[in-house]
Amino acid sequence: MANVLIVIPDHEYGGEENRSHRIYRGLKEKGHSVTFVSSDTQYEFDGGDFSRLPGLNNWLLLPINVIKLIFLVRKRQFDVVLLFKRKSGFIGWVLEKFCGQTKFVFNVANAWQGKKFLWDYLPAHICTLSMRLVPERVIKKKLVTEIKIGVPLLAIEDEVGEPLACSEQIRLISAGKLNYQKNHFKMIDVAKELIDRGHKVLVDIAGDGPNRDQLSNMAEKLGVSLQLRGQVSNMHEFYCLGGVYLQVSNFEGMPNALLEAGQYRIPIVANAVGATEDIVRDDTGWIVKSGDVRDYANAVESVINTSNDTKNKTSRMKALVAAEHDVAAMCSGYSQYISNISGD
């Protein structure tokens, strides 16, 4: 089995944090030796597996931390280093030049629309959630492998999906950080459009972040009912309350939340960013390509007005998640991938 190092600049809470921690657990179960390095963490690790590197998420401390990582990689003789989040991609590009026996793998999580120059500063090996996320020029230059993201599969009765979309009150839900990426401001705009059309609407978001106060002020000004739950420990209860999952993000990779909502047969209305269309298609959900608030509202109305179509789409989404996005399959894929590139 291989000796593996996982590097992520910060490890608080979010999609990449979940994915990297699940991969850590999966590789351990497969028999690999795994060490996890970050500036801090809110996740649990086995004794001795986590190493704290203060300031790893700070560009100003990058030279110091690169030197520390070079010594760590050489001392521990890691076969493979898995790198998560943008800053770590550049770190891997540098480390590759000083630790030639180790394979460095950057894990792509989103399409980086505004940071395209970063693609030129990544290690030779790239692992991506979807080939949609990687530019063609990078595919030609780097060794790119696709391993689909996985989530824990849940034993959820189909009946849970029955009350999720109703015309009495539309519960628009989302799960994620309250930041620029998730763009929840547009979610409030969609709610306002639906209210103007005569619907009763509640916007309910699981997550916290820097935009919290601005979202509250906007909702109050527009007369939109808004519930900001902060970090939610029991997402099962959140999803069982029902609703229409609305994704209006400025950019994405392959959102964990869509896969989780899909298991609960929650109707999903999403924009076509990142690899979203790998899972949300005409037969599994409602894709809004224009980004226009009125088109989002039209899609939500379609959800509540065409119950049979909604049931069929949510059933197909649930089946798709089970067939292609099981966390066990993701971890097995990473284990085999690591064995292949390390020569184990």
Side-chain angles (χ1 to χ4, degrees):
M1 293 287 107
N3 187 16
V4 181
L5 175 67
I6 295 178
V7 177
I8 184 168
D10 56 88
H11 201 241
E12 295 177 353
Y13 181 79
E16 275 299 86
E17 288 83 352
N18 284 336
R19 181 167 72 119
S20 58
H21 189 256
R22 286 166 181 166
I23 291 169
Y24 156 77
R25 286 291 180 199
L27 293 178
K28 290 273 291 185
E29 291 174 3
K30 296 291 183 182
H32 297 281
S33 174
V34 188
T35 302
F36 203 104
V37 169
S38 184
S39 57
D40 205 351
T41 186
Q42 295 183 9
Y43 292 73
E44 293 185 2
F45 291 86
D46 298 336
D49 284 350
F50 182 80
S51 293
R52 185 171 282 102
L53 198 58
L56 188 57
N57 58 342
N58 188 334
W59 280 110
L60 296 177
L61 297 177
L62 185 62
I64 295 173
N65 283 319
V66 165
I67 293 171
K68 289 180 179 178
L69 285 170
I70 289 173
F71 279 105
L72 177 64
V73 171
R74 287 179 171 178
K75 179 180 179 181
R76 298 283 297 275
Q77 296 183 336
F78 290 107
D79 300 305
V80 177
V81 177
L82 300 179
L83 305 132
F84 293 83
K85 292 191 175 182
R86 291 177 181 175
K87 291 186 182 74
S88 72
F90 178 76
I91 291 172
W93 179 76
V94 175
L95 293 180
E96 197 172 53
K97 303 178 187 314
F98 294 93
C99 308
Q101 299 303 311
T102 301
K103 299 295 191 301
F104 293 86
V105 182
F106 179 68
N107 294 267
V108 177
N110 65 60
W112 293 3
Q113 285 95 330
K115 304 284 185 179
K116 293 182 179 180
F117 71 93
L118 291 173
W119 290 109
D120 295 323
Y121 301 96
L122 296 177
H125 293 271
I126 294 177
C127 192
T128 180
L129 306 175
S130 168
M131 298 304 285
R132 289 178 187 266
L133 302 178
V134 185
E136 186 64 30
R137 67 179 181 85
V138 177
I139 294 174
K140 292 178 180 179
K141 291 171 56 178
K142 305 285 187 178
L143 300 170
V144 184
T145 300
E146 180 184 86
I147 300 179
K148 295 180 184 296
I149 193 170
V151 295
L153 297 185
L154 306 173
I156 303 166
E157 297 294 331
D158 283 346
E159 288 72 17
V160 171
E162 295 301 325
L164 294 184
C166 66
S167 56
E168 294 178 7
Q169 182 186 52
I170 302 172
R171 179 175 177 252
L172 297 180
I173 68 172
S174 177
K177 294 178 181 178
L178 308 181
N179 58 13
Y180 170 78
Q181 176 187 353
K182 299 300 182 181
N183 191 28
H184 291 109
F185 299 108
K186 181 167 282 189
M187 195 172 180
I188 294 175
D189 284 332
V190 175
K192 174 60 174 171
E193 174 68 20
L194 289 165
I195 291 170
D196 290 345
R197 296 184 186 190
H199 298 285
K200 185 178 180 181
V201 182
L202 168 67
V203 176
D204 196 347
I205 305 173
D208 211 341
N211 291 347
R212 186 183 184 93
D213 290 343
Q214 291 173 277
L215 289 165
S216 295
N217 293 337
M218 178 181 179
E220 183 178 359
K221 182 178 179 180
L222 295 179
V224 173
S225 297
L226 173 66
Q227 182 167 7
L228 299 176
R229 295 175 178 263
Q231 300 298 346
V232 176
S233 59
N234 191 337
M235 289 302 292
H236 176 73
E237 292 182 359
F238 177 78
Y239 288 128
C240 283
L241 290 173
V244 178
Y245 194 101
L246 186 61
Q247 176 185 284
V248 291
S249 303
N250 284 315
F251 60 91
E252 281 291 356
M254 175 83 73
N256 278 296
L258 296 188
L259 300 173
E260 292 167 355
Q263 291 194 75
Y264 286 85
R265 294 182 62 241
I266 291 179
I268 298 172
V269 175
N271 55 345
V273 292
T276 298
E277 287 181 282
D278 282 0
I279 53 175
V280 184
R281 309 183 296 249
D282 289 340
D283 64 331
T284 59
W286 290 258
I287 280 285
V288 178
K289 295 189 176 183
S290 68
D292 190 283
V293 167
R294 291 166 297 182
D295 290 336
Y296 282 110
N298 291 340
V300 172
E301 286 186 324
S302 177
V303 170
I304 64 176
N305 292 332
T306 57
S307 59
N308 287 335
D309 188 40
T310 295
K311 289 179 182 178
N312 290 335
K313 287 187 176 186
T314 57
S315 293
R316 285 192 287 265
M317 172 61 84
K318 181 178 179 180
L320 175 66
V321 174
E324 299 185 13
H325 296 281
D326 181 5
V327 68
M330 176 183 72
C331 292
S332 293
Y334 266 95
S335 178
Q336 185 61 56
Y337 173 69
I338 286 170
S339 295
N340 290 344
I341 65 171
S342 66
D344 183 49

